[in-house]
Amino acid sequence: AENMYFFSDLALTLNEPEERVAPTDSRLRPDQRLMESGRWDEANVEKQRLEEKQRAVRRRREAEAVEALEEGKDYEGYIPLWFERKVDSVTGELICVYKGGYWEAKDKQDWSLCPDIF
């Protein structure tokens, strides 16, 4: 623990890579993997690339929304693969509820619905 910033065993293993997970699993982030290897300069460059990629996707979605509005069409925006937004009946807050599909995709190793986020 002294060599690992006094993190607990649990904290040290939370980010360990796991086989057969979705390509969108955050443990697969290339900048994170580089950072954990001590390759800080490369990790920072990769982090900047990923952030710019995310910004580009956001700008494209915003442009699609504007275009749909101008054409009088509905625009749903981003729809999560395995969760759906619902209002909690007790608190009245918007929550995300698992709607299924992940474990089936993992069993089949069919990640064709996953976006390319990295």
Side-chain angles (χ1 to χ4, degrees):
E2 186 176 315
N3 292 334
M4 300 305 273
Y5 308 103
F6 297 98
F7 288 158
S8 68
D9 287 340
L10 173 64
L12 289 171
T13 59
L14 281 175
N15 206 34
E16 286 294 313
E18 180 183 327
E19 293 181 6
R20 302 175 53 83
V21 295
T24 54
D25 191 295
S26 64
R27 293 171 290 185
L28 300 177
R29 280 181 49 159
D31 61 323
Q32 193 169 291
R33 304 271 45 107
L34 288 165
M35 183 176 45
E36 289 181 354
S37 303
R39 297 162 61 187
W40 295 99
D41 292 338
E42 293 172 74
N44 286 326
V45 169
E46 184 62 15
K47 183 176 182 286
Q48 292 297 319
R49 184 192 69 81
L50 289 175
E51 289 173 347
E52 186 49 46
K53 185 174 184 176
Q54 292 169 355
R55 288 183 194 105
V57 169
R58 186 194 70 230
R59 286 190 296 266
R60 181 180 46 83
R61 286 185 183 140
E62 289 171 349
E64 289 171 354
V66 167
E67 184 178 319
L69 181 64
E70 289 172 350
E71 295 175 3
K73 298 178 182 176
D74 288 334
Y75 181 74
E76 289 188 11
Y78 175 73
I79 301 171
L81 289 178
W82 298 301
F83 294 89
E84 58 187 339
R85 293 180 178 103
K86 291 187 173 186
V87 175
D88 186 286
S89 60
V90 176
T91 66
E93 294 180 3
L94 190 61
I95 59 172
C96 292
V97 178
Y98 179 65
K99 66 181 179 181
Y102 174 82
W103 299 109
E104 295 80 4
K106 185 174 182 178
D107 285 343
K108 295 176 187 174
Q109 285 297 285
D110 177 9
W111 303 116
S112 58
L113 295 177
C114 290
D116 175 21
I117 63 172
F118 302 133

